[in-house]
Amino acid sequence: MDEKRMFSKFVGILAAVIVLGVVFVVGSVIAEADLGYTIVSAVILVSIALVAIVVARERQKEIKSGFPHDDERSSALKMRAGYLAFFVSMYFCLALGLIIGAFVDDSTIDFPSIGETMFLLVAAMGIFYGVIWSALSRGKGTP
Amino acid sequence: MKTRIKELRARYNMTQDDLARKIGVRRETILFIENGKYVPSLKLAHDIAKTLKTTMDELFTFDNE
């Protein structure tokens, strides 16, 4: 697949994420869902969309100047960041579970539902991926 | 890992951008290879050596050599 087609595909996915985010937030407001959860979700979705827009603009510049947006080093970086993000997320969830189990009285706290927890954990995994990728791409650890 | 990429680029009056474009990689990849922070694949090392009209042996030296 050539660079321009890959870029168009990326923009299409980004547009779909933004539309889904808007539908989700509007739906939550109409259904009178928990306001705090709706705000947190909206902030996460807007952050993801903003990062994606910045990445899309950078890629467009690279394509115009004749550089590939992906090469062997960037592929290795993505794989390593994904691998590390998976383990960091796993240990994060284990630590969180242990801390809540040992020190927090379940009956006094209004915990989020399973759906909300899943969303927040996947969002946390995405944030870990972004932070690790950013650190690796600045040369902190050769892939 | 040490490389002579910078030296050979200078000999052929080539910038990191030029070399990256010629072998089809990102400029940062050349930068990291030059600084010894990224060990390229055999194919990429071969392509760099060919572009700089040298051999892989001449281009890369490792600390344990």
Side-chain angles (χ1 to χ4, degrees):
Chain A
M1 196 183 296
D2 64 48
E3 300 287 326
K4 281 184 183 168
R5 277 185 66 193
M6 271 187 81
F7 179 73
S8 306
K9 207 172 175 182
F10 181 78
V11 171
I13 293 169
L14 172 61
V17 169
I18 293 171
V19 169
L20 276 175
V22 171
V23 169
F24 173 79
V25 172
V26 171
S28 300
V29 171
I30 292 168
E32 292 175 356
D34 183 323
L35 187 65
Y37 174 70
T38 304
I39 291 169
V40 170
S41 310
V43 168
I44 291 170
L45 285 167
V46 168
S47 310
I48 292 170
L50 285 177
V51 169
I53 288 168
V54 172
V55 171
R57 286 189 66 183
E58 289 297 314
R59 281 186 176 187
Q60 197 181 22
K61 274 187 209 164
E62 283 166 5
I63 291 168
K64 276 184 181 168
S65 61
F67 289 111
H69 71 73
D70 216 12
D71 65 5
E72 66 168 52
R73 183 178 166 270
S74 59
S75 301
L77 271 180
K78 278 190 262 182
M79 278 200 282
R80 185 147 180 83
Y83 163 82
L84 290 173
F86 170 74
F87 279 101
V88 169
S89 309
M90 196 170 71
Y91 285 118
F92 173 76
C93 291
L94 281 173
L96 203 63
L98 282 172
I99 290 167
I100 291 172
F103 304 110
V104 179
D105 180 8
D106 291 19
S107 59
T108 58
I109 294 176
D110 184 20
F111 282 102
S113 69
I114 292 172
E116 290 168 346
T117 310
M118 288 290 284
F119 178 83
L120 293 173
L121 287 177
V122 172
M125 203 169 178
I127 291 165
F128 286 138
Y129 176 84
V131 170
I132 292 168
W133 178 86
S134 175
L136 288 176
S137 65
R138 278 167 177 73
K140 289 171 184 149
T142 305
Chain B
M1 182 188 78
K2 284 177 186 151
T3 78
R4 292 179 57 219
I5 297 177
K6 202 172 178 178
E7 180 194 325
L8 291 165
R9 267 197 310 105
R11 186 187 291 173
Y12 295 111
N13 207 14
M14 213 183 258
T15 63
Q16 286 179 340
D17 275 23
D18 298 333
L19 181 61
R21 275 200 188 91
K22 275 196 172 179
I23 53 180
V25 294
R26 295 163 67 93
R27 195 186 64 82
E28 302 88 67
T29 303
I30 299 296
L31 176 76
F32 278 84
I33 295 171
E34 275 190 9
N35 292 337
K37 285 184 177 173
Y38 176 66
V39 180
S41 68
L42 191 58
K43 164 91 172 62
L44 182 53
H46 172 264
D47 289 347
I48 297 171
K50 205 174 165 186
T51 308
L52 295 173
K53 298 180 183 77
T54 186
T55 61
M56 282 195 273
D57 235 24
E58 288 288 319
L59 203 55
F60 300 100
T61 47
F62 291 88
D63 294 334
N64 56 355
E65 277 181 2

